[in-house]
Structures are given as C-alpha cells and as structure tokens.
Amino acid sequence: MLQGLQDLGSAYLSFMTPMTLLYGLGGAFVGLVMGILPGLSATLAIALLTTMTMSLDGNVAILVLICSYVGALYGGSRTAILLNIPGTAANAASCADGYALAQQGQAGRAIGIATSGAVTSTLLGVVFLATLTPLLANVALKFGAFEFFWLALFGVTLSGSIVGGDPLKGWMMGLVGLLLAQVGEESLYAYQRFTFGSEALAGGIGLIPALVGAFGLAEVLMALSDPIERKIHDLTDSVLPRWRDLIQYRWTVLRSGLIGVFTGLLPGVGEDAGAWVSYAAAKAVSKEREKFGKGSIDGLMAAETGDMSSVPGHLVPVLSLGVPGSAPSAVLMAAMIIHGVQPGPMLIVEHPQFIYHVVAMTTLASFAILLFGLFGVRPMLQVLKVPRNILMPIVFLLCAVGAFAVASRLFDIYVMVAIGIGAYFLRRRGYEMAPLVLGLVLGPLLDKSLRRGLVLSDGSLVPFFTRPISLVLATITIFMFLLYVPQFRRAVAGVGKTIARGARSALGRSGI
C-alpha cells in the first residue's frame, strides 16, 4: 500500500514540468476543438494526435492522447447545449436539458454545470482507476497462450456491441480487421501471407495509416458530403461553475459518477451508456422529475457526470486486460502499442509504473478541462464559425502527413486513402470503423496465441477448454456471443424473472 502511494506520488512529480504540462494542455485543447465541432470525435482526435506525437517520449505522447480523449468528451457538451447537436455520441443525453436551458437564456450556467460535473466525476473515476487496475492486473498475470487467445477472441466478440445497434455489422468489421492483421510476415516464422508478391505488403498494414484513414479521411468525406447550417445561441450569462449547483446536486454527482465508472468497466459499453443510465437513474429519484427534458439542472448534471466518469472506467480493462470498452479506448489502446506499451496482463510486469502514470495523466486532463472551462469557453466557440470547406482540407493534410511520417513510405498514404474511402462508403451504410481497428489491434495477439498454444499442446485444442482460467474465459466469450441471439436472450431474461419472483416469494414468506 505504502509502495503504491510512493509510486503514485512519483508519477505525479514526473509530469510536473513546464513542457509536460504544456503538452497536456495542448492535447486537451485539440480534444476540445474536436469535441466542439459536430461530426468530429474523440476517436478522431486520438488517431490524428497519435501521428503527431511519434517523436515525443512515450509517456508524454500518451499524456497528450489521454488529455485529448477527456477534452473531446468535455467539448462535445458545448454543441449539445448551444446547438442541440451532440459534439460526440456521449453527449447526446445532454441535449434535451442543456439546449432547453440555453433557450431560457441560461447557456452559460449550463456550460458551468457541465464543467463542474465533468471535473468532479473524472477525479472520482481516477480513484477507481488507481485502485482497481493493479488488482485486476495481478489476477491477469496467471494468463498463458491459451488464456490470451480467449481474451483476444473475447475482445473481437465485443465488436458486435462496441458501437452501433447491429451486432452483425460490428462482427463483420471486426472480421475485416482480423483479416487485415494477417497481411504481411507472420510473427513466428516470418512467412509472408496475403502479400500477392508485393514487397510493400510484406511489411503488413500499418496501424497508423489504418487509423487515420478509417477515422480521419472518412470523417472528412462524411463532413463534406453533408454540410449543415447551424445557429449558435449567444452566451449572455457567466460560464463559471456555480458551487451552489454542485453542492445542491452532490448526490447526483456521486451516484452518476459511480454509474459511469461501472459502465466503463463493462467491455463493449461506450461512454454514452454511462450518460443515459445516469440520466435515467437521476430522473427516477429526482424531486423535480417534471423538469427533465425542459431544462433540468439535475438531468444535465447526471448526463455530463455519467459520461465523463466512464473514461477512467474504460481505462481499467484496457490497461489490465487489453480489452477496450469503447471506440476511443480501442484507438487509445492501439496508440499505446504504437508508442511501445503493450496493454494487458503483462503490463504490470514490463511497465509497472505505467499504471500510475496513466492515473496522473487522467488527473492532469481533468484539471486541463477545468482551466479551459473557466477561461477558454468564449474564444474556443469561434471554431464553430470556421467554414467546413476550409477546415476539412486541413484535417486531410494532417492525415496524409501523419500516415507518411511514421515510416516515410508513400505506400502508407495509399493505404490511408484506400481505407478512408472504403470506410466512408461503409459508414454511409451503417458500418462503424471502431470494430475494424479492434480486429486490427487484437489480430496479431489472437493469431500468435492460438499457434503458440497449439505448439505447446502438440496440436490439441483440449487445453483451450480445460485449463481453469481458459474455461472461464471461454464460457464468458460464448455466453456473450449467444446473448446476441434473440431466442437465447429471451430465455435468459425469462430465467432471471423466475429467479426474481422466487426470491420475492421467499422473502414474503419469511416476513422480510
């Protein structure tokens, strides 16, 4: 316990330099801009900044990415309040009450509520990040090749629910990502697969070109193909957070913060789930239920607290198991790998200090959004006035430079353009790109673990199902997959209702 506190203190001190703090503020600023602009996202912010931080020290680079992640979710509340358009999917729950408050001339107060809820809930989530991640990582140290296979397969199974409402489309994109991960020389014997005699393909599909293509170029094409004129509400009142609101709704902050952390821990559940569940819980117990949807402070506080506290919650399974729970956390995990840190069970052995560094990074991110929330709201809203036909070509240029800069290969730009154009047409038909990236990231681990396991077992599949941890992971993976089958889901729901009725009957007979 004492050693952990010392490590945590050292992590905080290591980031207390002027340049490091400046990088963190810069990452939060870029994230805020991405969040403020409707159509852009935290996922795009992380993907673009990954290419721009390749020359930085690994810890500083990941600090920039985490700050941009937190900043984008926070920035998305601006357009939800002022335009009734969520800047990111996680801010959708904030639209009803936030926009209603803006229409009532309280746009500044609504932004202050979003700021106070975001900062306090992120700090609450940091506590759980610091305590739960080492515990879960120590359990995961017992994993071998057989367990890693099931863990990777479980992550790919989550592609059915990580974004969107159609599991089949998610699995199809996850499978495409797995196939792309097999291109190039395989890891055990350097045998070339799916290269078709091309020397350029022998190096495989680069993760950064795939990221910036799937999220950067595709976002540019989506934005340019669907321009929308928007009217921004003026800020006539103060945007400074009011302590009175925070104290009055302190139980909403605590309840929604815990809900957000819990939903973040669940693989495959995004930040928007934390916001909606928190909003529903607040409405169920609120004394001002009739105001929800018409300008409720309680509702807006719950929504913004729930989505922001889920960010530290998502980082727990990413760091300890290597399983992301949302699209931004999937791209963040890919960025960590690019910067030389492999999230998962071996992290606590190979980089034991890194967990505490992430805790410090997330704390600094929360203070960065507080600073911008206090002093940078009005100037940053000017970004909304930049015409998209000017902004999007700049984003495309950054995508091209980022794809080329990693290995200085023109082929990587071709990959970025090909994946970006393909992603654009797929997204127009309801296919999301986060499952593709998840498959691309987990593909090498799944392939390597399967073949190593077969080598160790002399070609037998039995150990994949008989080792205790493997059996548990296999059961969870198969159960998660079957939950997408309507008949099985209805049967599980029926069993749950039967058990609940039996429990209530037993309690009634006992007089409890």
Side-chain angles (χ1 to χ4, degrees):
M1 178 66 179
L2 185 59
Q3 182 61 44
L5 291 175
Q6 290 176 348
D7 292 339
L8 183 60
S10 300
Y12 279 112
L13 289 175
S14 67
F15 290 104
M16 293 302 166
T17 64
M19 282 305 298
T20 303
L21 294 175
L22 190 61
Y23 276 122
L25 288 173
F29 176 80
V30 173
L32 274 165
V33 171
M34 292 291 186
I36 286 173
L37 290 170
L40 305 187
S41 63
T43 309
L44 174 61
I46 298 170
L48 280 180
L49 285 175
T50 300
T51 67
M52 299 171 65
T53 55
M54 293 301 297
S55 61
L56 297 179
D57 174 74
N59 281 337
V60 176
I62 295 171
L63 168 67
V64 172
L65 300 179
I66 289 178
C67 286
S68 70
Y69 183 5
V70 175
L73 290 187
Y74 170 68
S77 64
R78 298 293 181 271
T79 48
I81 293 168
L82 298 175
L83 299 173
N84 201 27
I85 300 172
T88 70
N91 304 111
S94 304
C95 284
D97 293 300
Y99 189 67
L101 286 168
Q103 289 179 312
Q104 297 165 17
Q106 300 186 70
R109 185 185 183 189
I111 289 176
I113 292 164
T115 299
S116 57
V119 174
T120 52
S121 61
T122 305
L123 292 175
L124 176 64
V126 164
V127 175
F128 288 92
L129 175 63
T131 54
L132 293 181
T133 306
L135 296 176
L136 197 55
N138 281 318
V139 173
L141 279 176
K142 303 181 186 298
F143 286 19
F146 307 99
E147 290 77 17
F148 278 122
F149 166 77
W150 284 111
L151 193 62
L153 188 60
F154 174 66
V156 176
T157 303
L158 295 178
S159 61
S161 62
I162 195 169
V163 287
D166 191 339
L168 185 59
K169 288 182 177 179
W171 287 327
M172 290 174 66
M173 296 312 299
L175 181 60
V176 171
L178 282 177
L179 293 175
L180 289 177
Q182 308 310 310
V183 176
E185 295 182 348
E186 51 86 23
S187 57
L188 293 185
Y189 304 106
Y191 183 81
Q192 292 187 8
R193 301 181 297 193
F194 308 110
T195 59
F196 307 102
S198 169
E199 289 298 321
L201 281 175
I205 302 296
L207 196 51
I208 283 185
L211 282 177
V212 296
F215 295 106
L217 180 56
E219 289 280 6
V220 170
L221 296 176
M222 289 288 288
L224 292 177
S225 66
D226 189 24
I228 300 174
E229 294 293 332
R230 301 176 175 87
K231 181 181 182 301
I232 306 172
H233 278 274
D234 293 328
L235 292 176
T236 57
D237 56 336
S238 174
V239 299
L240 295 178
R242 303 183 184 184
W243 290 107
R244 183 175 69 252
D245 289 334
L246 189 59
I247 294 171
Q248 182 179 352
Y249 297 102
R250 60 189 181 279
W251 297 116
T252 299
V253 173
L254 180 60
R255 179 181 59 251
S256 301
L258 293 174
I259 290 173
V261 172
F262 177 73
T263 54
L265 291 173
L266 298 176
V269 179
E271 295 86 1
D272 52 339
W276 283 114
V277 174
S278 299
Y279 187 83
K283 186 175 181 180
V285 300
S286 178
K287 297 178 180 178
E288 51 184 47
R289 200 174 307 173
E290 70 284 352
K291 293 183 180 180
F292 275 66
K294 301 175 184 178
S296 169
I297 304 296
D298 200 1
L300 179 59
M301 183 74 82
E304 281 302 308
T305 304
D307 69 350
M308 293 302 297
S309 62
S310 67
V311 174
H314 280 308
L315 292 176
V316 174
V318 166
L319 295 174
S320 57
L321 300 177
V323 176
S326 66
S329 61
V331 179
L332 180 63
M333 189 176 83
M336 288 180 180
I337 295 172
I338 291 169
H339 284 290
V341 178
Q342 177 65 58
M346 291 304 295
L347 180 64
I348 199 169
V349 175
E350 298 173 351
H351 303 281
Q353 278 285 339
F354 184 72
I355 293 174
Y356 297 105
H357 284 157
V358 172
V359 173
M361 294 171 192
T362 313
T363 306
L364 291 176
S366 66
F367 285 111
I369 63 174
L370 175 62
L371 182 64
F372 285 118
L374 293 176
F375 305 109
V377 173
R378 298 177 191 274
M380 293 185 69
L381 290 179
Q382 300 303 312
V383 175
L384 286 170
K385 299 180 181 179
V386 178
R388 289 212 162 184
N389 58 355
I390 295 176
L391 182 66
M392 291 304 140
I394 296 174
V395 176
F396 171 73
L397 180 63
L398 292 175
C399 291
V401 171
F404 179 79
V406 179
S408 299
R409 293 196 311 170
L410 191 61
F411 176 76
D412 286 336
I413 296 182
Y414 298 151
V415 170
M416 183 269 294
V417 171
I419 290 179
I421 294 174
Y424 166 72
F425 287 107
L426 286 168
R427 287 184 60 181
R428 298 279 294 191
R429 287 157 180 79
Y431 294 86
E432 296 291 341
M433 292 300 106
L436 182 144
V437 173
L438 188 58
L440 195 60
V441 170
L442 295 178
L445 176 63
L446 188 147
D447 173 57
K448 181 169 59 178
S449 300
L450 174 62
R451 292 190 294 133
R452 281 181 176 174
L454 291 174
V455 169
L456 291 172
S457 63
D458 199 21
S460 174
L461 291 173
V462 174
F464 285 93
F465 297 93
T466 55
R467 289 165 60 99
I469 298 179
S470 288
L471 179 60
V472 172
L473 291 174
T475 303
I476 293 173
T477 302
I478 295 170
F479 181 79
M480 285 285 294
F481 181 80
L482 290 175
L483 278 179
Y484 294 105
V485 180
Q487 294 85 349
F488 182 80
R489 188 166 59 246
R490 284 195 294 267
V492 171
V495 171
K497 290 179 181 177
T498 302
I499 293 174
R501 282 197 299 267
R504 285 196 297 267
S505 177
L507 290 173
R509 287 194 300 270
S510 64
I512 298 177

